[in-house]
Amino acid sequence: AYADRAFASEAADLDPRDRALAMRLTYGAVQRKATLDAITRRLTGRSPRRLQPALRAALRLGLLQILFMDGVADHAAVNESVELAKVAGAPAGLVNAVLRRAVREKEEVLAELDDSTPAGAAEAHSVPAWLATQLWQELGAGEARALLSVINEPAESALRVNTLVAAPAQVSRDLPVHNSPAPGIPEGLVLGGPLALEDSEMWREGAIMGQSRGSMAVAHALDPQPGDRVLDLCSAPGAKTTHMAALMEARGEIVAVERNPRRARSLEQTCVRMRAGCVRVEVTDASEARLDGPFAGVLLDPPCSGLGTLQSRPDIRWRASPEQIEALAQLQRGMLEAAAAATAAGSVVVYSVCTISRAETVSVIESFLSDHGAFGLEDSFQLLPHRDGTDGFYVARLRRSG
């Protein structure tokens, strides 16, 4: 299971405060498992792969709290991990010994983590070795280390005010947590503390949508106008779809394409909640040629490796691979062909992916433009978490010439 979905199920009955701590523990243990296992190997002299799963889990949770989390007393982290091992039938004595040693040798253990090379960075920041090497090659050593230094920190907490329902200033006043305007995004708010969005009346009324500033930048790049006819390819779960509807004042039409029937139904429900009455959801493949064009604007947000969301999606780094990225790039290029075919002279195509790999971003656009002289690149940008404080997104705006 994906960690976020498994967590949502298991933590459903926790109160908000306990749920927030449980999420930090869960996501942290998944994100930092390579680092935690390397430290386990040093402190025990054993390969973590040879330890029974319950023992490995207790050690990961204990080491995470002792070495990487503030607000939890060391003795509490040790005691709770020992009790967890007992309940699971794991060797509690070993857990106790290893974690007490980690408390005594905390500074030495952390000092041994060295991110000066790709191999060292993979261990220090808990990413696959191939990913650290790729970041070194594509970003350079300094930028790669800066990026890796933030990927295990909590993700940005932001929301979009649905201007079809409410005014940003009013929502800002009514929120129970400190918030500030998102620079350059009038309807965006950056939250200064945790907020259970889906438990709030404003969420139920469709006034707010949890969305990163990087994601919010995509609809603005397309800049749909009231009365436009827009094609939204790979549209679920609907944050960008409903954002475009709000920018269009729900006037015009958005044809939202989603291949998965279950996700399409969820998208329809989201559009109803967000009062996006101009959206028509269509269950079909985004790669298929359109017979109902042309459209004034096309948004293509295709499947990608998600490497720009390492902070908010804890297990994405362990699911991605070079082979997957290569296959995705081919899929993305095919979908971009379909998006381009649905346009006429003067139409705009925006290509958006929440990743940072060159193969899925610049290379896709360069390859497409080399084969399509009728299109020109009007603008493109790459957001990076350590530099921009939000999810990593690549966005390219293309226009078909006359």
Side-chain angles (χ1 to χ4, degrees), residues 186 220 268 305 354 363:
H220 281 287
E268 290 177 331
S305 62
C354 57
S363 294

Side-chain angles (χ1 to χ4, degrees), residues 95-260:
V95 173
N96 184 62
V98 171
L99 296 185
R100 289 189 180 279
R101 182 181 174 189
V103 171
R104 293 194 305 270
E105 301 176 13
K106 183 184 302 187
E107 294 184 5
E108 294 91 330
V109 168
L110 293 174
E112 289 179 357
L113 300 174
D114 179 9
D115 67 356
S116 60
T117 66
E123 184 174 287
H125 300 294
S126 191
V127 295
W130 68 265
L131 178 55
T133 299
Q134 178 176 298
L135 292 174
W136 244 251
Q137 293 170 345
E138 296 183 357
L139 299 178
E143 199 83 24
R145 292 174 68 189
L147 172 63
L148 290 170
S149 70
V150 305
I151 62 169
N152 296 309
E153 300 301 321
E156 168 192 61
S157 182
L159 61 80
R160 173 175 58 84
V161 178
N162 182 13
T163 52
L164 296 173
V165 176
Q170 182 63 48
V171 170
S172 178
R173 287 193 296 269
D174 291 345
L175 285 173
V177 297
H178 174 73
N179 61 87
S180 57
I185 305 175
E187 65 276 33
L189 296 175
V190 179
L191 305 182
L195 176 65
L197 287 181
E198 297 186 15
D199 293 337
S200 71
E201 186 63 28
M202 284 188 289
W203 185 90
R204 288 188 288 270
E205 292 177 350
I208 57 176
M209 163 78 78
Q211 192 171 359
S212 72
R213 288 181 293 127
S215 176
M216 285 187 257
V218 176
H220 281 287
L222 186 65
D223 192 27
Q225 299 300 306
D228 279 353
R229 188 162 182 261
V230 173
L231 178 62
D232 183 9
L233 298 174
C234 308
S235 51
K240 301 179 189 68
T241 309
T242 55
H243 191 185
M244 289 191 296
L247 294 177
M248 294 167 60
E249 300 172 3
R251 292 190 282 130
E253 182 184 39
I254 298 174
V255 179
V257 174
E258 173 55 46
R259 185 177 68 175
N260 184 297

Side-chain angles (χ1 to χ4, degrees), residues 11-351:
D13 295 332
L14 295 178
D15 66 48
R17 183 174 179 179
D18 285 344
R19 188 184 303 134
L21 176 58
M23 179 177 285
R24 288 180 64 201
L25 289 167
T26 305
Y27 282 22
V30 173
Q31 288 171 319
R32 293 188 184 269
K33 72 173 185 177
T35 307
L36 299 171
D37 286 355
I39 293 170
T40 296
R41 187 182 301 110
R42 292 171 186 167
L43 295 178
T44 64
R46 306 183 194 181
S47 170
R49 292 184 179 181
R50 295 188 175 184
L51 301 178
Q52 65 188 92
L55 174 58
R56 192 164 59 237
L59 288 172
R60 284 175 179 170
L61 287 167
L63 290 170
L64 173 72
Q65 295 171 84
I66 292 166
L67 300 175
F68 297 108
M69 285 179 61
D70 296 325
V72 180
D74 289 341
H75 71 272
V78 174
N79 293 340
E80 292 298 327
S81 298
V82 168
E83 290 304 312
L84 178 62
K86 289 179 181 178
V87 170
L94 177 60
V95 173
N96 184 62
V98 171
L99 296 185
R100 289 189 180 279
R101 182 181 174 189
V103 171
R104 293 194 305 270
E105 301 176 13
K106 183 184 302 187
E107 294 184 5
E108 294 91 330
V109 168
L110 293 174
E112 289 179 357
L113 300 174
D114 179 9
D115 67 356
S116 60
T117 66
E123 184 174 287
H125 300 294
S126 191
V127 295
W130 68 265
L131 178 55
T133 299
Q134 178 176 298
L135 292 174
W136 244 251
Q137 293 170 345
E138 296 183 357
L139 299 178
E143 199 83 24
R145 292 174 68 189
L147 172 63
L148 290 170
S149 70
V150 305
I151 62 169
N152 296 309
E153 300 301 321
E156 168 192 61
S157 182
L159 61 80
R160 173 175 58 84
V161 178
N162 182 13
T163 52
L164 296 173
V165 176
Q170 182 63 48
V171 170
S172 178
R173 287 193 296 269
D174 291 345
L175 285 173
V177 297
H178 174 73
N179 61 87
S180 57
I185 305 175
E187 65 276 33
L189 296 175
V190 179
L191 305 182
L195 176 65
L197 287 181
E198 297 186 15
D199 293 337
S200 71
E201 186 63 28
M202 284 188 289
W203 185 90
R204 288 188 288 270
E205 292 177 350
I208 57 176
M209 163 78 78
Q211 192 171 359
S212 72
R213 288 181 293 127
S215 176
M216 285 187 257
V218 176
H220 281 287
L222 186 65
D223 192 27
Q225 299 300 306
D228 279 353
R229 188 162 182 261
V230 173
L231 178 62
D232 183 9
L233 298 174
C234 308
S235 51
K240 301 179 189 68
T241 309
T242 55
H243 191 185
M244 289 191 296
L247 294 177
M248 294 167 60
E249 300 172 3
R251 292 190 282 130
E253 182 184 39
I254 298 174
V255 179
V257 174
E258 173 55 46
R259 185 177 68 175
N260 184 297
R262 181 183 60 80
R263 286 167 59 85
R265 288 193 296 272
S266 177
L267 171 61
E268 290 177 331
Q269 293 168 358
T270 296
C271 290
V272 170
R273 181 176 66 83
M274 300 293 284
R275 319 287 177 87
C278 64
V279 177
R280 174 168 61 85
V281 178
E282 186 177 297
V283 182
T284 189
D285 193 320
S287 298
E288 294 182 359
R290 304 291 308 185
L291 301 177
D292 56 345
F295 293 84
V298 181
L299 172 60
L300 172 61
D301 187 33
C304 72
S305 62
L307 293 176
T309 62
L310 295 175
Q311 290 173 272
S312 57
R313 300 171 66 188
D315 49 358
I316 199 75
R317 68 190 72 186
W318 309 121
R319 295 179 181 272
S321 70
E323 295 77 19
Q324 179 206 42
I325 289 174
E326 182 178 351
L328 284 168
Q330 294 298 318
L331 176 66
Q332 292 153 359
R333 174 60 196 273
M335 288 184 172
L336 187 53
E337 294 280 351
T343 61
S347 297
V348 171
V349 176
V350 166
Y351 174 82

